[in-house]
Amino acid sequence: MAVRWMHGVMAGCLLLFGPAAGADDHWPQWRGPSLNGVSNSTGLPDTWSETENIVWKRELPSWSGSTPVIWGDHIFLTSPSKVEENAAADSKETEAGGPTILLICLSKPDGAILWEHELDTGNQVHLKGNHSSPSPVTDGTHVWAVTGNGTVTALTMEGAVVWSKNLQKEYGAFGINFGYASSPLLYKEMLVIEVIQGYTTDDPSYVMAYDKLTGKVLWRVERPTDAVLESPDAYTTPTVLHLDDKDQIIVSGGDYVTGHDPGSGKELWRGGGLNPRKFDRNRIVVSPLAVDNMIYAAACKKPVVAYRAGGTGDCTATHLAWTWDKAYA
């Protein structure tokens, strides 16, 4: 999950990715164009406030834990609708925001609302998140969004729906303690989604891929774990490992980090070490990172593990490069 933002998008993110900044005119998905949170832009401001280095502000209907994504002059973000006027002031519904999850498209130059679309209804609060937590993704011709209810929607850049599916209706109710919050991964012609769960369900976790243009299921594989109680749950987002000429989809959660074949979803390898103490509350929020033939993953609080790429099967003993066993939060 990303940092919670309240009722307004300020131009700090506009300045980070605006034309004057240089290289990165697009920030198309969670952690950006290279899936590592790095921007090649230069001349960025290093200080800002509610008044300093702000080009514009736009009040939004409610709060969200998702990350806005950018393509050219379009900003896409998710938000609950406004709290209904007749909602009780101290109710869970009021705390979550409004009942409807929206995908909103803003104009990057001035913050004007270009369009908004109702993705889903039944918004709920889960401690620090609500059902708008997953971040959208875009490739400049379409935009895809997932809600905490499991509704997956593909739209054109103008807001017309191309296809829509619901994960819970097709594969069973989510069993995640603090609500579904994983963002989708856009990889070539597919939309990759993980559901890593287990606290309130005996149904298996899974990773799957849709054809991004048609919504056809390309593959869906179960992802087993021996994690206990809340430790099967994860709020992470998949990433991509570029290994020679063969990419892998990397998933972290349920006490393990795993690599999957993008063509079939088959698990190629897995590494442990994320829960050496068998902590029963090892829910994982930090998404994995794959850089320079290394894969980095973090547990609930500790440890952080680093794996060398190229392993097969259970490669904990052979490819675990190092472990940092200090609490980081």
Side-chain angles (χ1 to χ4, degrees):
M1 290 182 286
V3 176
R4 170 171 166 167
W5 41 266
M6 297 288 294
H7 292 292
V9 170
M10 292 187 286
C13 58
L14 170 70
L15 293 176
L16 285 173
F17 308 113
D24 290 329
D25 287 341
H26 311 310
W27 194 263
Q29 58 188 348
W30 165 242
R31 283 188 174 168
S34 299
L35 298 171
N36 60 8
V38 174
S39 170
N40 293 322
S41 299
T42 59
L44 305 178
D46 56 11
T47 60
W48 57 83
S49 66
E50 292 193 18
T51 56
E52 181 185 11
N53 284 324
I54 300 301
V55 176
W56 53 259
K57 294 183 182 180
R58 163 62 60 181
E59 183 177 352
L60 298 173
S62 192
W63 65 273
S64 177
S66 64
T67 297
V69 299
I70 301 171
W71 193 278
D73 285 341
H74 293 75
I75 299 175
F76 300 100
L77 52 89
T78 57
S79 170
S81 56
K82 289 184 177 180
V83 174
E84 295 181 339
E85 292 182 1
N86 59 354
D90 59 350
S91 69
K92 285 290 186 180
E93 289 75 15
T94 301
E95 188 180 350
T100 303
I101 301 299
L102 305 172
L103 178 65
I104 302 173
C105 180
L106 302 180
S107 166
K108 189 173 74 172
D110 58 14
I113 295 178
L114 300 178
W115 54 263
E116 63 180 49
H117 174 77
E118 294 185 2
L119 294 169
D120 207 347
T121 59
N123 179 36
Q124 296 179 18
V125 67
H126 299 276
L127 193 61
K128 297 180 181 180
N130 58 28
H131 283 180
S132 70
S133 292
S135 302
V137 296
T138 182
D139 64 357
T141 59
H142 294 83
V143 57
W144 294 263
V146 181
T147 73
N149 288 326
T151 297
V152 184
T153 306
L155 304 96
T156 67
M157 297 290 279
E158 293 74 35
V161 173
V162 178
W163 57 265
S164 185
K165 308 280 186 176
N166 186 275
L167 297 170
Q168 295 194 90
K169 289 180 180 178
E170 296 187 24
Y171 305 114
F174 293 151
I176 306 170
N177 194 22
F178 293 112
Y180 185 77
S182 299
S183 300
L185 167 70
L186 191 60
Y187 172 77
K188 295 185 178 180
E189 302 306 309
M190 64 180 67
L191 188 73
V192 179
I193 293 175
E194 65 172 54
V195 178
I196 310 300
Q197 60 183 355
Y199 183 65
T200 61
T201 183
D202 291 328
D203 289 344
S205 298
Y206 57 90
V207 185
M208 64 179 301
Y210 289 108
D211 181 287
K212 69 177 187 178
L213 296 181
T214 67
K216 177 183 177 182
V217 176
L218 300 177
W219 49 261
R220 177 178 175 270
V221 297
E222 294 184 2
R223 187 178 181 276
T225 181
D226 55 4
V228 298
L229 197 62
E230 194 184 354
S231 294
D233 290 357
Y235 308 86
T236 60
T237 293
T239 193
V240 179
L241 168 68
H242 302 294
L243 180 62
D244 300 325
D245 59 346
K246 294 182 179 180
D247 293 342
Q248 296 179 9
I249 305 297
I250 307 299
V251 175
S252 181
D255 290 353
Y256 295 92
V257 57
T258 54
H260 299 260
D261 176 11
S264 66
K266 178 183 176 181
E267 183 177 305
L268 303 173
W269 63 270
R270 70 169 41 206
L274 283 170
N275 193 5
R277 299 166 185 83
K278 290 298 179 183
F279 180 43
D280 61 9
R281 299 281 178 176
N282 192 48
R283 55 186 179 273
I284 295 181
V285 178
V286 179
S287 298
L289 182 66
V291 180
D292 296 334
N293 290 337
M294 294 290 295
I295 303 98
Y296 305 93
C300 179
K301 290 191 175 181
K302 61 180 182 179
V304 178
V305 298
Y307 274 88
R308 295 184 296 273
T312 58
D314 186 340
C315 61
T316 308
T318 59
H319 284 70
L320 180 61
W322 53 259
T323 297
W324 189 66
D325 196 29
K326 303 292 184 181
Y328 58 86

